[in-house]
Short mmCIF file of all heavy atoms in Angstrom, two decimals:
data_model
loop_
_atom_site.label_atom_id
_atom_site.label_comp_id
_atom_site.label_asym_id
_atom_site.label_seq_id
_atom_site.Cartn_x
_atom_site.Cartn_y
_atom_site.Cartn_z
N ALA A 24 99.28 100.62 111.41
CA ALA A 24 99.67 99.49 112.43
C ALA A 24 99.13 98.20 111.85
O ALA A 24 99.81 97.22 111.95
CB ALA A 24 99.11 99.86 113.82
N LYS A 25 97.85 98.13 111.45
CA LYS A 25 97.37 96.86 110.94
C LYS A 25 98.08 96.31 109.81
O LYS A 25 98.43 95.12 109.71
CB LYS A 25 95.84 97.02 110.48
CG LYS A 25 94.93 97.26 111.66
CD LYS A 25 93.52 97.51 111.16
CE LYS A 25 92.43 97.66 112.22
NZ LYS A 25 92.33 96.41 113.01
N GLY A 26 98.49 97.18 108.82
CA GLY A 26 99.22 96.78 107.61
C GLY A 26 100.68 96.39 107.93
O GLY A 26 101.11 95.34 107.48
N LEU A 27 101.30 97.09 108.88
CA LEU A 27 102.66 96.64 109.26
C LEU A 27 102.71 95.31 110.10
O LEU A 27 103.57 94.61 109.96
CB LEU A 27 103.36 97.84 110.04
CG LEU A 27 103.53 99.18 109.15
CD1 LEU A 27 104.15 100.20 110.02
CD2 LEU A 27 104.44 98.82 107.93
N ALA A 28 101.76 95.29 110.96
CA ALA A 28 101.75 94.05 111.86
C ALA A 28 101.35 92.83 111.11
O ALA A 28 101.93 91.71 111.33
CB ALA A 28 100.85 94.31 113.01
N GLY A 29 100.22 92.92 110.37
CA GLY A 29 99.78 91.78 109.58
C GLY A 29 99.37 90.64 110.50
O GLY A 29 99.50 89.43 110.14
N ARG A 30 98.87 90.88 111.66
CA ARG A 30 98.42 89.96 112.54
C ARG A 30 97.14 89.26 112.32
O ARG A 30 96.11 90.01 112.09
CB ARG A 30 98.37 90.48 113.98
CG ARG A 30 98.20 89.49 115.13
CD ARG A 30 98.11 90.11 116.52
NE ARG A 30 98.32 89.12 117.59
CZ ARG A 30 98.13 89.40 118.91
NH1 ARG A 30 97.79 90.59 119.32
NH2 ARG A 30 98.45 88.45 119.77
N THR A 31 97.12 87.94 112.22
CA THR A 31 95.85 87.25 111.96
C THR A 31 94.85 87.25 113.12
O THR A 31 95.19 87.28 114.27
CB THR A 31 96.07 85.78 111.65
OG1 THR A 31 96.88 85.23 112.58
CG2 THR A 31 96.76 85.64 110.21
N ARG A 32 93.58 87.36 112.78
CA ARG A 32 92.61 87.51 113.81
C ARG A 32 92.32 86.22 114.54
O ARG A 32 92.60 85.18 113.97
CB ARG A 32 91.29 88.04 113.13
CG ARG A 32 91.33 89.49 112.64
CD ARG A 32 89.80 89.92 112.21
NE ARG A 32 89.91 91.27 111.57
CZ ARG A 32 89.79 92.33 112.27
NH1 ARG A 32 89.68 92.40 113.63
NH2 ARG A 32 89.75 93.54 111.64
N PRO A 33 91.80 86.27 115.70
CA PRO A 33 91.70 85.06 116.56
C PRO A 33 90.73 84.01 115.81
O PRO A 33 91.01 82.74 115.93
CB PRO A 33 90.90 85.56 117.79
CG PRO A 33 91.38 87.02 117.90
CD PRO A 33 91.43 87.47 116.53
N PHE A 34 89.71 84.40 115.03
CA PHE A 34 88.88 83.37 114.50
C PHE A 34 89.56 82.47 113.53
O PHE A 34 89.03 81.31 113.45
CB PHE A 34 87.59 84.01 113.91
CG PHE A 34 87.86 84.83 112.55
CD1 PHE A 34 87.94 84.15 111.36
CD2 PHE A 34 87.96 86.16 112.60
CE1 PHE A 34 88.21 84.92 110.25
CE2 PHE A 34 88.10 86.89 111.38
CZ PHE A 34 88.29 86.23 110.20
N VAL A 35 90.63 82.88 112.83
CA VAL A 35 91.37 82.01 112.01
C VAL A 35 92.05 80.90 112.77
O VAL A 35 92.48 79.94 112.06
CB VAL A 35 92.12 82.69 111.00
CG1 VAL A 35 91.24 83.60 110.01
CG2 VAL A 35 93.24 83.42 111.68
N HIS A 36 92.31 81.07 114.04
CA HIS A 36 92.89 80.11 114.89
C HIS A 36 91.95 79.28 115.70
O HIS A 36 92.43 78.31 116.36
CB HIS A 36 93.95 80.82 115.87
CG HIS A 36 95.01 81.50 115.22
ND1 HIS A 36 96.32 81.09 115.09
CD2 HIS A 36 95.12 82.86 114.68
CE1 HIS A 36 97.03 81.96 114.41
NE2 HIS A 36 96.41 83.05 114.24
N ASN A 37 90.73 79.50 115.46
CA ASN A 37 89.69 78.87 116.33
C ASN A 37 89.37 77.54 115.82
O ASN A 37 88.64 77.35 114.88
CB ASN A 37 88.43 79.69 116.31
CG ASN A 37 87.43 79.30 117.37
OD1 ASN A 37 87.51 78.24 117.88
ND2 ASN A 37 86.37 80.16 117.63
N THR A 38 89.90 76.49 116.38
CA THR A 38 89.69 75.08 115.97
C THR A 38 88.26 74.58 116.28
O THR A 38 87.90 73.44 115.89
CB THR A 38 90.79 74.20 116.46
OG1 THR A 38 90.82 74.29 117.94
CG2 THR A 38 92.14 74.41 115.78
N ALA A 39 87.43 75.36 117.06
CA ALA A 39 86.10 74.94 117.16
C ALA A 39 85.18 75.26 115.93
O ALA A 39 84.16 74.68 115.87
CB ALA A 39 85.42 75.80 118.40
N LEU A 40 85.83 75.98 115.12
CA LEU A 40 85.16 76.24 113.76
C LEU A 40 85.95 75.26 112.80
O LEU A 40 87.06 74.91 112.90
CB LEU A 40 85.33 77.68 113.28
CG LEU A 40 84.81 78.80 114.18
CD1 LEU A 40 85.22 80.21 113.65
CD2 LEU A 40 83.26 78.66 114.20
N THR A 41 85.08 74.78 111.82
CA THR A 41 85.71 73.92 110.82
C THR A 41 86.69 74.84 109.94
O THR A 41 86.56 76.00 109.82
CB THR A 41 84.63 73.22 109.92
OG1 THR A 41 84.02 74.28 109.17
CG2 THR A 41 83.61 72.48 110.83
N VAL A 42 87.57 74.09 109.24
CA VAL A 42 88.41 74.78 108.25
C VAL A 42 87.62 75.45 107.25
O VAL A 42 87.88 76.60 106.84
CB VAL A 42 89.37 73.81 107.62
CG1 VAL A 42 90.13 74.47 106.48
CG2 VAL A 42 90.34 73.20 108.62
N ASP A 43 86.47 74.85 106.77
CA ASP A 43 85.60 75.47 105.73
C ASP A 43 85.00 76.81 106.33
O ASP A 43 84.86 77.74 105.53
CB ASP A 43 84.53 74.57 105.33
CG ASP A 43 85.05 73.44 104.34
OD1 ASP A 43 86.10 73.66 103.77
OD2 ASP A 43 84.41 72.38 104.28
N GLU A 44 84.61 76.74 107.64
CA GLU A 44 84.01 77.89 108.16
C GLU A 44 85.00 79.03 108.31
O GLU A 44 84.70 80.15 107.97
CB GLU A 44 83.47 77.60 109.49
CG GLU A 44 82.12 76.75 109.50
CD GLU A 44 81.64 76.23 110.87
OE1 GLU A 44 82.61 76.03 111.81
OE2 GLU A 44 80.46 76.13 111.08
N ARG A 45 86.16 78.74 108.74
CA ARG A 45 87.21 79.74 108.87
C ARG A 45 87.60 80.24 107.50
O ARG A 45 87.89 81.46 107.42
CB ARG A 45 88.44 79.09 109.68
CG ARG A 45 88.25 78.92 110.99
CD ARG A 45 89.51 78.47 111.79
NE ARG A 45 89.69 77.03 111.71
CZ ARG A 45 90.89 76.46 111.87
NH1 ARG A 45 92.01 77.22 112.23
NH2 ARG A 45 91.09 75.14 111.76
N LEU A 46 87.73 79.43 106.59
CA LEU A 46 88.00 79.88 105.14
C LEU A 46 86.97 80.81 104.65
O LEU A 46 87.27 81.80 104.03
CB LEU A 46 88.24 78.62 104.30
CG LEU A 46 88.64 78.92 102.80
CD1 LEU A 46 89.94 79.68 102.75
CD2 LEU A 46 88.55 77.75 102.01
N ALA A 47 85.70 80.48 104.87
CA ALA A 47 84.62 81.32 104.44
C ALA A 47 84.60 82.66 105.06
O ALA A 47 84.50 83.68 104.36
CB ALA A 47 83.25 80.60 104.59
N LEU A 48 84.90 82.66 106.38
CA LEU A 48 85.01 83.97 107.11
C LEU A 48 86.14 84.79 106.53
O LEU A 48 86.07 86.01 106.35
CB LEU A 48 85.12 83.76 108.58
CG LEU A 48 83.93 83.17 109.24
CD1 LEU A 48 84.31 82.75 110.68
CD2 LEU A 48 82.75 84.13 109.35
N SER A 49 87.26 84.18 106.26
CA SER A 49 88.44 84.86 105.79
C SER A 49 88.26 85.33 104.46
O SER A 49 88.62 86.51 104.05
CB SER A 49 89.65 83.89 105.78
OG SER A 49 90.82 84.42 105.21
N GLU A 50 87.58 84.62 103.56
CA GLU A 50 87.37 85.00 102.19
C GLU A 50 86.34 86.10 101.97
O GLU A 50 86.32 86.82 100.98
CB GLU A 50 86.93 83.73 101.28
CG GLU A 50 88.07 82.76 101.08
CD GLU A 50 87.57 81.57 100.23
OE1 GLU A 50 86.42 81.34 100.26
OE2 GLU A 50 88.45 80.92 99.67
N ALA A 51 85.57 86.30 103.01
CA ALA A 51 84.53 87.38 102.86
C ALA A 51 85.29 88.80 102.72
O ALA A 51 84.81 89.68 101.99
CB ALA A 51 83.78 87.55 104.23
N ASP A 52 86.51 88.97 103.36
CA ASP A 52 87.42 90.01 103.11
C ASP A 52 88.78 89.56 103.40
O ASP A 52 89.18 89.52 104.55
CB ASP A 52 87.00 91.22 103.93
CG ASP A 52 87.80 92.46 103.61
OD1 ASP A 52 88.94 92.30 103.02
OD2 ASP A 52 87.41 93.64 103.95
N PRO A 53 89.59 89.10 102.30
CA PRO A 53 90.75 88.48 102.59
C PRO A 53 91.87 89.32 103.41
O PRO A 53 92.56 88.78 104.12
CB PRO A 53 91.34 88.22 101.20
CG PRO A 53 90.14 88.02 100.37
CD PRO A 53 89.07 89.05 100.89
N GLN A 54 91.76 90.60 103.23
CA GLN A 54 92.73 91.41 103.90
C GLN A 54 92.45 91.62 105.37
O GLN A 54 93.26 91.72 106.23
CB GLN A 54 92.80 92.88 103.16
CG GLN A 54 93.54 92.80 101.89
CD GLN A 54 94.84 92.24 101.98
OE1 GLN A 54 95.73 92.65 102.81
NE2 GLN A 54 95.21 91.36 101.04
N ASP A 55 91.07 91.53 105.64
CA ASP A 55 90.60 91.71 107.05
C ASP A 55 91.12 90.71 108.04
O ASP A 55 91.32 90.98 109.24
CB ASP A 55 89.07 91.83 107.12
CG ASP A 55 88.63 92.28 108.52
OD1 ASP A 55 88.80 93.48 108.86
OD2 ASP A 55 88.00 91.37 109.18
N ALA A 56 91.41 89.52 107.45
CA ALA A 56 91.88 88.47 108.29
C ALA A 56 93.23 88.72 108.93
O ALA A 56 93.63 88.14 110.02
CB ALA A 56 91.93 87.15 107.57
N TYR A 57 93.95 89.68 108.36
CA TYR A 57 95.29 90.01 108.89
C TYR A 57 95.29 91.30 109.60
O TYR A 57 96.35 91.86 109.94
CB TYR A 57 96.17 90.30 107.60
CG TYR A 57 96.59 89.09 106.77
CD1 TYR A 57 96.05 88.76 105.55
CD2 TYR A 57 97.64 88.26 107.24
CE1 TYR A 57 96.41 87.62 104.87
CE2 TYR A 57 98.03 87.09 106.63
CZ TYR A 57 97.41 86.86 105.28
OH TYR A 57 97.83 85.75 104.59
N GLN A 58 94.14 91.87 110.01
CA GLN A 58 94.14 93.21 110.52
C GLN A 58 93.65 93.21 112.01
O GLN A 58 92.86 93.93 112.52
CB GLN A 58 93.15 94.05 109.73
CG GLN A 58 93.78 94.31 108.40
CD GLN A 58 92.92 95.28 107.49
OE1 GLN A 58 91.75 95.75 107.96
NE2 GLN A 58 93.38 95.59 106.29
N SER A 59 94.28 92.23 112.79
CA SER A 59 93.83 92.13 114.17
C SER A 59 94.51 93.27 115.06
O SER A 59 93.91 93.74 115.93
CB SER A 59 94.25 90.69 114.62
OG SER A 59 93.69 90.54 115.97
N PHE A 60 95.74 93.55 114.75
CA PHE A 60 96.51 94.50 115.64
C PHE A 60 96.62 95.87 114.91
O PHE A 60 97.18 95.96 113.90
CB PHE A 60 97.90 94.02 115.88
CG PHE A 60 98.70 94.92 116.92
CD1 PHE A 60 98.48 94.75 118.25
CD2 PHE A 60 99.45 95.78 116.40
CE1 PHE A 60 99.27 95.45 119.15
CE2 PHE A 60 100.20 96.65 117.33
CZ PHE A 60 99.99 96.49 118.61
N TYR A 61 96.06 96.84 115.70
CA TYR A 61 95.35 96.78 116.91
C TYR A 61 93.91 97.06 116.62
O TYR A 61 93.59 97.29 115.49
CB TYR A 61 95.90 97.86 117.90
CG TYR A 61 96.02 99.26 117.44
CD1 TYR A 61 94.85 100.15 117.40
CD2 TYR A 61 97.16 99.67 116.96
CE1 TYR A 61 95.01 101.36 116.90
CE2 TYR A 61 97.28 101.12 116.44
CZ TYR A 61 96.14 101.78 116.42
OH TYR A 61 96.25 103.10 115.86
N SER A 62 93.06 97.01 117.66
CA SER A 62 91.64 97.12 117.38
C SER A 62 91.19 98.52 117.09
O SER A 62 91.32 99.42 117.83
CB SER A 62 90.86 96.64 118.65
OG SER A 62 89.51 96.96 118.63
N GLY A 63 90.59 98.65 115.90
CA GLY A 63 90.23 99.96 115.35
C GLY A 63 88.82 100.30 116.21
O GLY A 63 88.64 101.47 116.45
N HIS A 64 88.04 99.36 116.47
CA HIS A 64 86.79 99.60 117.31
C HIS A 64 87.18 100.20 118.64
O HIS A 64 86.69 101.15 119.13
CB HIS A 64 86.04 98.41 117.52
CG HIS A 64 85.04 97.97 116.40
ND1 HIS A 64 85.48 97.64 115.17
CD2 HIS A 64 83.67 98.03 116.35
CE1 HIS A 64 84.36 97.35 114.36
NE2 HIS A 64 83.31 97.64 115.07
N SER A 65 88.18 99.53 119.26
CA SER A 65 88.64 100.01 120.59
C SER A 65 89.20 101.36 120.61
O SER A 65 88.95 102.19 121.46
CB SER A 65 89.70 99.01 121.16
OG SER A 65 90.05 99.34 122.46
N ALA A 66 90.16 101.55 119.52
CA ALA A 66 90.76 102.88 119.43
C ALA A 66 89.74 103.95 119.20
O ALA A 66 89.83 105.08 119.79
CB ALA A 66 91.72 102.89 118.24
N ALA A 67 88.77 103.64 118.29
CA ALA A 67 87.74 104.69 117.95
C ALA A 67 86.85 104.93 119.20
O ALA A 67 86.58 106.13 119.47
CB ALA A 67 86.84 104.17 116.83
N ALA A 68 86.59 103.90 119.91
CA ALA A 68 85.56 104.04 121.04
C ALA A 68 86.31 104.94 122.23
O ALA A 68 85.65 105.81 122.76
CB ALA A 68 85.23 102.70 121.65
#
């Protein structure tokens, strides 16, 4: 589902963070930024 949906996570839309902060968070794992849908934590729990 994550791969097919390719939904960006909320933090990359968060303008309370600077562009540099959002870019750094995204670059920590570039693919993870696209894996918002659906929540693996919620599903596992």
Side-chain angles (χ1 to χ4, degrees):
K25 287 178 180 293
L27 294 177
R30 188 183 197 186
T31 49
R32 292 191 185 270
F34 69 79
V35 298
H36 296 266
N37 188 349
T38 52
L40 301 173
T41 67
V42 173
D43 286 339
E44 288 172 328
R45 288 186 278 165
L46 181 62
L48 291 170
S49 173
E50 288 179 339
D52 186 338
Q54 290 301 313
D55 186 67
Y57 289 101
Q58 294 182 358
S59 189
F60 184 83
Y61 51 82
S62 168
H64 276 67
S65 180

